[in-house]
Amino acid sequence: MTPNRRQQQDGDQHLVVLVLPGGKVSSHRPARAWHLSNLRMCPFTAQLRLSGVKAVQARYRVRGWNGAERSPVADARAALDAITKRNSQAQVILLGHSMGGRVAAELCGDPAVVGVVALAPWWPDGTSVNLRS
């Protein structure tokens, strides 16, 4: 381990940050790694890893929220489920930007989720947010 990497303490060995990128209001076009919404979150993911924190960046199948479809929620749910399948004691922090903040709010009720960080979250008028306390 390099000197600038923090060694995890016993209490945070199960900590995982699920990074949730933004997207578009409506688009069924495929999401690509080189889209700005994904690239924007890469420095967050990289810095977390350099700090010794396990970080997983979600990949959405399509770019848009797409109304009632809530398209990225299923992909983020699959990423969260994969984390908890690998580590049943995982304590997950959801880190989302824009649409990713809204995705985080949709998943915050999962028992593995211990925190949400929503950077410039996208909350359209009339949207209710039910974050658990």
Side-chain angles (χ1 to χ4, degrees):
M1 182 174 289
T2 60
N4 64 343
R5 292 184 79 156
R6 180 180 68 85
Q7 290 192 9
Q8 289 192 331
Q9 303 297 315
D10 289 341
D12 64 354
Q13 66 182 341
H14 299 291
L15 181 67
V16 181
V17 177
L18 177 56
V19 180
L20 303 165
K24 296 185 171 286
V25 173
S26 181
S27 175
H28 286 93
R29 296 184 71 184
R32 303 288 187 217
W34 62 83
H35 287 147
L36 184 57
S37 56
N38 289 316
L39 292 175
R40 182 178 292 119
M41 299 310 288
C42 288
F44 291 94
T45 305
Q47 187 58 50
L48 286 162
R49 290 174 180 164
L50 284 172
S51 298
V53 177
K54 181 161 179 59
V56 176
Q57 187 162 328
R59 290 282 309 272
Y60 307 138
R61 288 170 290 155
V62 298
R63 299 183 76 182
W65 179 264
N66 302 317
E69 290 179 35
R70 300 171 22 231
S71 298
V73 175
D75 299 323
R77 163 59 56 201
L80 181 57
D81 290 346
I83 290 168
T84 58
K85 184 176 181 181
R86 282 191 300 272
N87 180 353
S88 63
Q89 296 179 355
Q91 296 178 324
V92 181
I93 295 174
L94 304 173
L95 169 62
H97 173 258
S98 188
M99 183 181 76
R102 190 169 179 193
V103 172
E106 292 284 324
L107 298 178
C108 72
D110 186 282
V113 174
V114 296
V116 171
V117 178
L119 306 171
W122 172 58
W123 309 123
D125 287 340
T127 302
S128 64
V129 180
N130 295 313
L131 297 176
R132 68 183 171 127
S133 54

